[in-house]
Amino acid sequence: MLQSNLVARGENAPSLAMGPADVVIAIPVHNEIDRIDACVHALSQQQAFSFLATNRAARIRAVFLVNNSTDGTAEWLLQHLHEWPLAAVVIQVDLPDAERSAGRARWLVNHAAMDMAHAAHGQLFMTDADSCVPNDWVRRYSRMLEQGWDAIAGCVAINQDDCEQIVSSLDHRNHLEACYTGLIDELESLLDPVHHDPWPRHFNASGASLATTMAAVRRLDDLPSLACGEDRAFIRAMEALDLHVRHETMIPVRTSGRLFGRAKGGMADTLRHRSHVPDAWCDDRLERADRAYLRASLRATWRQLHLHRKPERVLIEQFAADLGVSLHIVGMAAELETFGASWHALEAASPRLVRRAIAPSHLALEIQRAQDLLRTVRRGVRPNWREPDIRDIDADGPDTSVPMDLGMSA
């Protein structure tokens, strides 16, 4: 597929002399002439470090896949490629309309990058052409992967140069959402602690900052190929296999906060929609605090039940009642090999765990409720989540769950 759409390819001397790389950074590019220079500069400033698997300086290569650009980005990259100390490859492709999306471009550049990585110990990093990574990004994440994590979902922050585009009302909403997200993240970390992903952590996955090992990628059938949301789908697939994913919070990557972006359905579309529609629903991650409490409590319960593999029938019956599903569905989930896959299946089947977003006008109230729950949980008290929820379900937003068909109908 890549060869049939190939327009041009360039590789500089440091890359030609390298051979298989220890770390390959995959960057999809589309019409980024105003931002690509900053992206390349940030990648060129990565700190040198010793790769533990080889006991020598890490070999790092960047792979830029420019798709359907019309603003001169590809020409700029090919022209300046040989000036960089950074080992780099530039691939220019034209995708047909049916395949032209940010997700498809990432799939292609990831596969191209994997072909250039060391098969045994290679690492695949992902970022975006409108993003700037800190100079210790590769070194610190590479070391974490060598220490045993299978994948890292980094955190992102909006570039300060773009903040002036964000209207004050949207800036206030973003502040409230960030506050509420942090409270929900901490609440879930306390209720359902994960030893390889301890607090502080987050629950996002952005293609601007992802890293994994070739060994972990080989566990997947393939990388997700979606028009958008491929980054979240990638981490979800890793978690379904019970691979060790770390949601790291200390190395933020700066990414564009522009209102007119390149990826349909991406951050720019979301920001622009919310600036025009102030009451637009929040992300589905931001459900009511009591629902988040229920979800984390049920997940923690299932984690213990799945660990024992053959729990007492009375416990399974109670759990099925808590989920609002049949014993048959719980039984089929229990047959799945990994906790991650079984929980994804149960979450999709349970009517009690349908994700319903909240309105931005509810954020202040839900922040207060989340703070109250956190204070209670920190004292070692667990409110009874089996008590009937008397709050009006019609106050919730639309059902934003993603259907999952695993042949688990009752």
Side-chain angles (χ1 to χ4, degrees), residues 281 286-291 352 354-359 362 366 369 389 391-399:
W281 297 104
L286 300 184
E287 57 188 348
R288 287 179 350 202
D290 58 348
R291 284 182 180 269
R352 297 197 69 189
V354 171
R355 285 196 177 273
R356 295 184 181 276
I358 62 174
H362 295 171
E366 294 304 327
R369 286 173 167 153
D389 184 3
R391 291 168 60 191
D392 184 9
I393 194 171
D394 292 333
D396 290 337
D399 177 358

Side-chain angles (χ1 to χ4, degrees), residues 79-97:
Q79 177 184 348
H80 294 280
L81 173 65
H82 300 285
E83 303 171 6
W84 307 333
L86 171 73
V89 175
V90 176
I91 304 170
Q92 185 181 5
V93 298
D94 278 338
L95 301 179
D97 289 345

Side-chain angles (χ1 to χ4, degrees), residues 372-389:
D372 292 343
L373 279 170
L374 266 175
R375 280 192 289 268
T376 301
V377 171
R378 286 171 183 153
R379 294 198 305 268
V381 178
R382 298 291 190 268
N384 184 6
W385 44 266
R386 291 192 174 97
E387 292 179 355
D389 184 3

Side-chain angles (χ1 to χ4, degrees), residues 64-87:
F64 300 86
L65 185 136
V66 189
N67 70 99
N68 303 85
S69 280
T70 58
D71 68 346
T73 304
E75 292 78 7
W76 186 92
L77 283 167
L78 290 168
Q79 177 184 348
H80 294 280
L81 173 65
H82 300 285
E83 303 171 6
W84 307 333
L86 171 73

Side-chain angles (χ1 to χ4, degrees), residues 48 58 159 278:
N159 192 318

Side-chain angles (χ1 to χ4, degrees), residues 46-307:
Q46 292 303 295
Q47 297 173 354
F49 64 97
S50 178
F51 201 73
L52 297 182
T54 61
N55 197 31
R56 57 166 167 72
R59 297 178 175 180
I60 305 171
R61 173 186 284 123
V63 181
F64 300 86
L65 185 136
V66 189
N67 70 99
N68 303 85
S69 280
T70 58
D71 68 346
T73 304
E75 292 78 7
W76 186 92
L77 283 167
L78 290 168
Q79 177 184 348
H80 294 280
L81 173 65
H82 300 285
E83 303 171 6
W84 307 333
L86 171 73
V89 175
V90 176
I91 304 170
Q92 185 181 5
V93 298
D94 278 338
L95 301 179
D97 289 345
E99 297 183 21
R100 194 177 301 177
S101 68
R104 182 60 176 171
R106 194 181 304 281
W107 185 91
L108 288 170
V109 72
N110 283 342
H111 274 276
M114 289 188 296
D115 289 341
M116 304 178 203
H118 195 284
H121 61 253
Q123 299 172 350
L124 172 66
F125 281 56
M126 307 176 206
T127 191
D128 290 326
D130 65 345
S131 301
C132 292
V133 299
N135 63 4
D136 57 351
W137 181 63
V138 171
R139 176 181 63 81
R140 292 176 65 177
Y141 280 6
S142 178
R143 186 68 76 239
M144 290 175 65
L145 293 173
E146 290 196 303
Q147 290 172 346
W149 277 277
D150 297 300
I152 303 165
C155 58
V156 299
I158 292 178
N159 192 318
Q160 290 299 312
D161 293 339
D162 294 322
C163 288
E164 62 185 28
Q165 296 187 45
I166 301 176
V167 297
S168 58
S169 60
L170 185 55
D171 188 53
H172 178 65
R173 172 180 173 163
N174 289 344
H175 173 75
L176 290 177
E177 285 198 0
C179 177
Y180 187 49
T181 298
L183 293 170
I184 294 300
D185 288 349
E186 184 178 1
L187 182 64
E188 294 192 2
S189 297
L190 290 173
L191 293 170
D192 182 32
V194 179
H195 70 90
H196 60 264
D197 198 17
W199 180 257
R201 69 185 188 194
H202 60 89
F203 286 86
N204 297 320
S206 169
S209 183
L210 293 174
T212 187
T213 66
M214 291 298 294
V217 171
R218 284 194 292 269
R219 296 280 303 276
L220 304 177
D221 292 334
D222 192 5
L223 296 171
S225 181
L226 305 170
C228 64
E230 77 291 341
D231 39 15
R232 295 185 298 275
F234 168 72
I235 291 299
R236 184 176 176 86
M238 290 275 182
E239 291 173 336
L241 293 173
D242 288 350
L243 296 178
H244 288 184
V245 177
R246 177 64 175 140
H247 293 83
E248 197 278 330
T249 63
M250 300 302 292
I251 312 172
V253 168
R254 293 287 174 181
T255 195
S256 170
R258 60 194 171 193
L259 299 183
F260 293 90
R262 306 295 180 262
K264 185 177 181 180
M267 181 185 292
D269 281 358
T270 299
L271 290 174
R272 188 172 67 257
H273 175 66
R274 290 180 176 181
S275 67
H276 294 155
V277 186
D279 294 330
W281 297 104
C282 297
D283 295 337
D284 61 3
R285 165 92 181 132
L286 300 184
E287 57 188 348
R288 287 179 350 202
D290 58 348
R291 284 182 180 269
Y293 181 89
L294 170 67
R295 189 181 304 277
S297 298
L298 287 170
R299 187 171 60 242
T301 300
W302 181 246
R303 196 182 298 278
Q304 292 302 312
L305 292 174
H306 192 269
L307 180 66

Side-chain angles (χ1 to χ4, degrees), residues 235-237 239-241 339-349 404 406:
I235 291 299
R236 184 176 176 86
E239 291 173 336
L241 293 173
F339 163 77
S342 64
W343 173 250
H344 289 171
L346 289 171
E347 194 173 29
M404 179 182 292
L406 295 182

